[in-house]
Amino acid sequence: MAEAAIRIEGFVKDYPVGIRGKRVRAIDGLSLEVGANQIYGLLGPNGSGKSTTIKLLLGLLRPSSGVGTIFGKPAGSLAARQALGYLPESPYFYRYLSGRELLRYFARVSGVARATREERVVAVLERVGLSAAADRRLSTYSKGMLQRIGLAQALVHDPQILILDEPTAGVDPEGTAAIAAIIRDLKERGKTILLSSHLLSQMEDLCDHIAIINRGRLLCEGAVEDLLQLKGAESYLVEGLDASGQAAVKAGISAAGGSLKQVTPARRGLEHLFSEAIQAEEGGAE
């Protein structure tokens, strides 16, 4: 059995509040598994625990209890961090640097060998479509360009796993499509991507698997197609019906004179599933 790229077992994270020892639970017994070479979507409303989960995996926070691993290495360890590239929700870069200078800096701090450093910088600039703007200051970059240079810095050391927190936040439709294309290309190159976003239509289109969490708890998880399929319902594609035949479909396709071309499982949208899961959890918590 192939080793999971990311495994979380029973993550709990409590934060102290005030001076009386009271604690607030941000993550409540969360367990999930991300397979290698998946695009895995982590979904949830604001305050659901997505960013905290990501910080626990990166080693920026320590869990109150539970275990996280990156290809079998403890989350937060040097070996685990070397396997990760991270784009935060609101990246901040020194805007007086050029795109090329920024990537040289991150290549150096990420341990890219001096002999291959410039080659890596050139390669990731090309991959994110910023070769022509490489020597412009970041202060002249659009929001979409800043997100792409942020993606480039996450890629510069060629990590096995990319963790992307709202990679298209504030980006226009054209820029969003460009970033989505980069993410698909990364999967084709064998990378694993853990993706957090509020753009549910994009997540439905991009992700192989998703998990929906709320209040730090897992509500549902699985392959996108399995979760969105409506059990016990089918979708029919029919051709050859005139107006009267269309009216008679409910009485029987054959009797109406049409030909049945395709039967597929009926499918709901991810927004529907998301709303249903959150409403059910909120109702159960009352």
Side-chain angles (χ1 to χ4, degrees):
M1 183 177 178
E3 186 174 51
I6 297 172
R7 179 175 284 115
I8 296 171
E9 298 179 357
F11 261 177
V12 172
K13 181 59 180 176
D14 294 327
Y15 290 101
V17 177
I19 60 175
R20 297 185 177 181
K22 185 177 180 181
R23 305 181 76 81
V24 171
R25 179 152 293 182
I27 303 295
D28 190 5
L30 181 64
S31 296
L32 55 85
E33 184 175 301
V34 180
N37 198 213
Q38 286 184 346
I39 302 178
Y40 193 103
L42 186 61
L43 307 178
N46 290 333
S48 62
K50 302 188 301 298
S51 292
T52 299
T53 300
I54 287 172
K55 289 175 182 176
L56 292 170
L57 288 172
L58 293 169
L60 300 176
L61 294 174
R62 291 187 178 183
S64 303
S65 62
V67 176
T69 58
I70 307 297
F71 283 115
K73 304 295 191 298
S77 66
L78 179 59
R81 290 184 180 188
Q82 288 174 332
L84 296 175
Y86 173 50
L87 175 62
E89 179 177 356
S90 300
Y92 176 80
F93 305 123
Y94 294 118
R95 296 173 69 84
Y96 58 82
L97 295 176
S98 69
R100 192 185 308 277
E101 289 169 337
L102 179 81
L103 294 182
R104 284 172 177 165
Y105 168 75
F106 277 105
R108 183 178 178 184
V109 299
S110 298
V112 179
R114 183 190 296 270
T116 60
R117 199 174 295 161
E118 196 64 25
E119 179 183 343
R120 284 297 304 159
V121 168
V122 170
V124 294
L125 281 167
E126 182 177 357
R127 183 172 296 180
V128 301
L130 288 176
S131 296
D135 297 308
R136 284 170 47 186
R137 289 190 177 186
L138 298 183
S139 60
T140 70
Y141 279 23
S142 67
K143 174 62 174 175
M145 293 169 73
L146 287 171
Q147 289 297 101
R148 280 188 282 155
I149 201 68
L151 187 53
Q153 66 79 27
L155 286 168
V156 74
H157 61 297
D158 197 25
Q160 297 168 286
I161 300 173
L162 278 299
I163 297 180
L164 310 177
D165 193 359
E166 298 288 351
T168 57
V171 180
D172 63 27
E174 183 178 0
T176 296
I179 292 171
I182 294 168
I183 293 172
R184 292 190 186 94
D185 178 66
L186 291 170
K187 175 180 167 60
E188 290 179 3
R189 293 170 182 263
K191 304 298 184 185
T192 301
I193 299 101
L194 177 62
L195 178 62
S196 175
S197 175
H198 286 107
L199 297 178
L200 298 184
S201 59
Q202 183 188 67
M203 296 286 272
E204 181 178 344
D205 186 46
L206 275 176
C207 296
D208 308 311
H209 286 64
I210 59 169
I212 299 176
I213 67 174
N214 193 30
R215 298 179 181 178
R217 296 190 292 267
L218 181 66
L219 305 187
C220 64
E221 187 273 341
V224 171
E225 289 303 318
D226 292 342
L227 289 174
L228 297 186
Q229 182 177 326
L230 290 170
K231 292 179 174 59
E234 294 177 329
S235 176
Y236 292 80
L237 177 63
V238 181
E239 70 176 11
L241 297 179
D242 58 16
S244 61
Q246 292 176 18
V249 166
K250 292 183 179 180
I253 292 173
S254 296
S259 58
L260 183 63
K261 303 295 292 185
Q262 183 177 337
V263 180
T264 58
R267 196 173 182 273
R268 56 186 166 182
L270 182 54
E271 292 189 11
H272 186 168
L273 174 67
F274 181 84
S275 296
E276 188 178 83
I278 297 301
Q279 288 171 8
E281 198 272 343
E282 294 286 355
E286 291 178 358

